[in-house]
mmCIF file of all heavy atoms in Angstrom:
data_model
loop_
_atom_site.group_PDB
_atom_site.id
_atom_site.type_symbol
_atom_site.label_atom_id
_atom_site.label_comp_id
_atom_site.label_asym_id
_atom_site.label_seq_id
_atom_site.Cartn_x
_atom_site.Cartn_y
_atom_site.Cartn_z
ATOM 1 N N THR A 20 -1.811 -11.902 0.029
ATOM 2 C CA THR A 20 -2.449 -12.476 1.204
ATOM 3 C C THR A 20 -3.936 -12.145 1.135
ATOM 4 O O THR A 20 -4.416 -11.626 0.130
ATOM 5 C CB THR A 20 -1.753 -12.006 2.498
ATOM 6 O OG1 THR A 20 -2.374 -12.647 3.603
ATOM 7 C CG2 THR A 20 -1.820 -10.506 2.670
ATOM 8 N N CYS A 21 -4.671 -12.424 2.216
ATOM 9 C CA CYS A 21 -6.122 -12.362 2.083
ATOM 10 C C CYS A 21 -6.654 -10.934 2.283
ATOM 11 O O CYS A 21 -5.971 -10.052 2.811
ATOM 12 C CB CYS A 21 -6.781 -13.350 3.029
ATOM 13 S SG CYS A 21 -6.423 -13.063 4.750
ATOM 14 N N GLN A 22 -7.908 -10.735 1.876
ATOM 15 C CA GLN A 22 -8.523 -9.402 1.855
ATOM 16 C C GLN A 22 -8.465 -8.621 3.185
ATOM 17 O O GLN A 22 -8.193 -7.419 3.166
ATOM 18 C CB GLN A 22 -9.986 -9.526 1.427
ATOM 19 C CG GLN A 22 -10.198 -9.716 -0.052
ATOM 20 C CD GLN A 22 -11.572 -9.201 -0.472
ATOM 21 O OE1 GLN A 22 -12.033 -8.166 -0.006
ATOM 22 N NE2 GLN A 22 -12.224 -9.913 -1.361
ATOM 23 N N PRO A 23 -8.763 -9.259 4.334
ATOM 24 C CA PRO A 23 -8.832 -8.455 5.568
ATOM 25 C C PRO A 23 -7.580 -7.641 5.870
ATOM 26 O O PRO A 23 -7.671 -6.561 6.459
ATOM 27 C CB PRO A 23 -9.089 -9.503 6.661
ATOM 28 C CG PRO A 23 -9.796 -10.603 5.944
ATOM 29 C CD PRO A 23 -9.179 -10.651 4.580
ATOM 30 N N LEU A 24 -6.402 -8.113 5.460
ATOM 31 C CA LEU A 24 -5.182 -7.337 5.740
ATOM 32 C C LEU A 24 -5.309 -5.912 5.196
ATOM 33 O O LEU A 24 -5.009 -4.933 5.878
ATOM 34 C CB LEU A 24 -3.948 -8.020 5.146
ATOM 35 C CG LEU A 24 -2.630 -7.265 5.361
ATOM 36 C CD1 LEU A 24 -1.479 -8.223 5.635
ATOM 37 C CD2 LEU A 24 -2.248 -6.350 4.200
ATOM 38 N N VAL A 40 -11.926 -7.220 13.644
ATOM 39 C CA VAL A 40 -12.029 -8.320 12.687
ATOM 40 C C VAL A 40 -13.101 -9.285 13.174
ATOM 41 O O VAL A 40 -13.037 -9.763 14.312
ATOM 42 C CB VAL A 40 -10.664 -9.042 12.569
ATOM 43 C CG1 VAL A 40 -10.769 -10.242 11.635
ATOM 44 C CG2 VAL A 40 -9.606 -8.071 12.064
ATOM 45 N N GLY A 42 -14.021 -12.564 12.914
ATOM 46 C CA GLY A 42 -13.555 -13.865 12.448
ATOM 47 C C GLY A 42 -12.801 -14.573 13.547
ATOM 48 O O GLY A 42 -12.889 -14.193 14.725
ATOM 49 N N SER A 43 -12.029 -15.567 13.168
ATOM 50 C CA SER A 43 -11.272 -16.310 14.179
ATOM 51 C C SER A 43 -10.005 -15.533 14.550
ATOM 52 O O SER A 43 -9.596 -14.611 13.839
ATOM 53 C CB SER A 43 -10.922 -17.692 13.647
ATOM 54 O OG SER A 43 -10.133 -17.549 12.505
ATOM 55 N N GLY A 45 -6.909 -16.190 14.412
ATOM 56 C CA GLY A 45 -5.798 -16.224 13.462
ATOM 57 C C GLY A 45 -5.919 -15.173 12.369
ATOM 58 O O GLY A 45 -4.917 -14.674 11.860
ATOM 59 N N CYS A 46 -7.158 -14.821 12.011
ATOM 60 C CA CYS A 46 -7.363 -13.848 10.927
ATOM 61 C C CYS A 46 -6.760 -12.492 11.291
ATOM 62 O O CYS A 46 -6.389 -11.715 10.414
ATOM 63 C CB CYS A 46 -8.847 -13.680 10.627
ATOM 64 S SG CYS A 46 -9.671 -15.196 10.183
ATOM 65 N N SER A 47 -6.715 -12.180 12.592
ATOM 66 C CA SER A 47 -6.130 -10.897 12.988
ATOM 67 C C SER A 47 -4.695 -11.064 13.483
ATOM 68 O O SER A 47 -3.848 -10.195 13.278
ATOM 69 C CB SER A 47 -6.954 -10.240 14.095
ATOM 70 O OG SER A 47 -6.799 -10.959 15.293
ATOM 71 N N PHE A 49 -2.176 -13.034 12.590
ATOM 72 C CA PHE A 49 -1.127 -13.104 11.586
ATOM 73 C C PHE A 49 -0.840 -11.710 11.008
ATOM 74 O O PHE A 49 0.310 -11.337 10.792
ATOM 75 C CB PHE A 49 -1.530 -14.082 10.476
ATOM 76 C CG PHE A 49 -0.433 -14.340 9.505
ATOM 77 C CD1 PHE A 49 0.726 -15.005 9.898
ATOM 78 C CD2 PHE A 49 -0.524 -13.890 8.198
ATOM 79 C CE1 PHE A 49 1.761 -15.214 9.003
ATOM 80 C CE2 PHE A 49 0.508 -14.102 7.298
ATOM 81 C CZ PHE A 49 1.647 -14.770 7.692
ATOM 82 N N VAL A 50 -1.901 -10.937 10.811
ATOM 83 C CA VAL A 50 -1.730 -9.582 10.254
ATOM 84 C C VAL A 50 -1.031 -8.680 11.280
ATOM 85 O O VAL A 50 -0.091 -7.941 10.957
ATOM 86 C CB VAL A 50 -3.097 -8.983 9.859
ATOM 87 C CG1 VAL A 50 -2.951 -7.544 9.399
ATOM 88 C CG2 VAL A 50 -3.748 -9.826 8.768
ATOM 89 N N THR A 102 -15.030 -8.161 7.852
ATOM 90 C CA THR A 102 -15.465 -9.565 7.824
ATOM 91 C C THR A 102 -14.325 -10.459 7.313
ATOM 92 O O THR A 102 -13.318 -9.979 6.792
ATOM 93 C CB THR A 102 -16.703 -9.762 6.929
ATOM 94 O OG1 THR A 102 -16.347 -9.463 5.583
ATOM 95 C CG2 THR A 102 -17.859 -8.888 7.369
ATOM 96 N N THR A 103 -14.525 -11.759 7.467
ATOM 97 C CA THR A 103 -13.501 -12.740 7.072
ATOM 98 C C THR A 103 -14.191 -13.903 6.362
ATOM 99 O O THR A 103 -15.413 -13.883 6.196
ATOM 100 C CB THR A 103 -12.796 -13.295 8.324
ATOM 101 O OG1 THR A 103 -13.812 -13.848 9.175
ATOM 102 C CG2 THR A 103 -12.014 -12.233 9.069
ATOM 103 N N CYS A 104 -13.414 -14.928 6.008
ATOM 104 C CA CYS A 104 -14.012 -16.117 5.369
ATOM 105 C C CYS A 104 -15.167 -16.654 6.196
ATOM 106 O O CYS A 104 -16.265 -16.869 5.690
ATOM 107 C CB CYS A 104 -12.989 -17.243 5.274
ATOM 108 S SG CYS A 104 -11.596 -16.887 4.263
ATOM 109 N N SER A 105 -14.898 -16.850 7.510
ATOM 110 C CA SER A 105 -15.902 -17.550 8.315
ATOM 111 C C SER A 105 -17.178 -16.727 8.452
ATOM 112 O O SER A 105 -18.278 -17.235 8.235
ATOM 113 C CB SER A 105 -15.337 -17.908 9.695
ATOM 114 O OG SER A 105 -14.639 -16.814 10.225
ATOM 115 N N THR A 143 -15.041 -8.181 3.481
ATOM 116 C CA THR A 143 -13.811 -8.661 2.831
ATOM 117 C C THR A 143 -13.869 -10.195 2.762
ATOM 118 O O THR A 143 -13.182 -10.871 3.515
ATOM 119 C CB THR A 143 -12.564 -8.191 3.596
ATOM 120 O OG1 THR A 143 -12.746 -8.475 4.993
ATOM 121 C CG2 THR A 143 -12.302 -6.728 3.431
ATOM 122 N N PRO A 144 -14.714 -10.719 1.859
ATOM 123 C CA PRO A 144 -14.792 -12.184 1.733
ATOM 124 C C PRO A 144 -13.473 -12.720 1.176
ATOM 125 O O PRO A 144 -13.155 -12.520 0.013
ATOM 126 C CB PRO A 144 -15.944 -12.386 0.731
ATOM 127 C CG PRO A 144 -16.056 -11.112 -0.017
ATOM 128 C CD PRO A 144 -15.549 -10.017 0.864
ATOM 129 N N SER A 145 -12.747 -13.395 2.009
ATOM 130 C CA SER A 145 -11.346 -13.651 1.701
ATOM 131 C C SER A 145 -11.110 -14.757 0.701
ATOM 132 O O SER A 145 -10.002 -14.935 0.227
ATOM 133 C CB SER A 145 -10.629 -13.986 3.000
ATOM 134 O OG SER A 145 -9.386 -13.412 2.956
ATOM 135 N N PHE A 146 -12.187 -15.498 0.385
ATOM 136 C CA PHE A 146 -12.008 -16.596 -0.571
ATOM 137 C C PHE A 146 -12.011 -16.085 -2.008
ATOM 138 O O PHE A 146 -11.879 -16.855 -2.946
ATOM 139 C CB PHE A 146 -13.100 -17.661 -0.377
ATOM 140 C CG PHE A 146 -14.419 -17.075 0.055
ATOM 141 C CD1 PHE A 146 -15.304 -16.565 -0.882
ATOM 142 C CD2 PHE A 146 -14.737 -16.980 1.391
ATOM 143 C CE1 PHE A 146 -16.510 -16.008 -0.494
ATOM 144 C CE2 PHE A 146 -15.937 -16.416 1.800
ATOM 145 C CZ PHE A 146 -16.831 -15.924 0.862
HETATM 146 S S1 SF4 B 501 -7.948 -16.618 4.500
HETATM 147 FE FE1 SF4 B 501 -9.880 -16.422 5.648
HETATM 148 S S2 SF4 B 501 -9.588 -17.720 7.460
HETATM 149 FE FE2 SF4 B 501 -7.576 -17.361 6.588
HETATM 150 S S3 SF4 B 501 -6.783 -15.572 7.688
HETATM 151 FE FE3 SF4 B 501 -7.776 -14.815 5.818
HETATM 152 S S4 SF4 B 501 -9.858 -14.329 6.445
HETATM 153 FE FE4 SF4 B 501 -9.007 -15.630 8.030
#
Side-chain angles (χ1 to χ4, degrees):
T20 183
C21 60
Q22 282 206 40
L24 179 142
V40 177
S43 61
C46 302
S47 70
F49 187 66
V50 175
T102 65
T103 56
C104 297
S105 45
T143 49
S145 218
F146 33 84

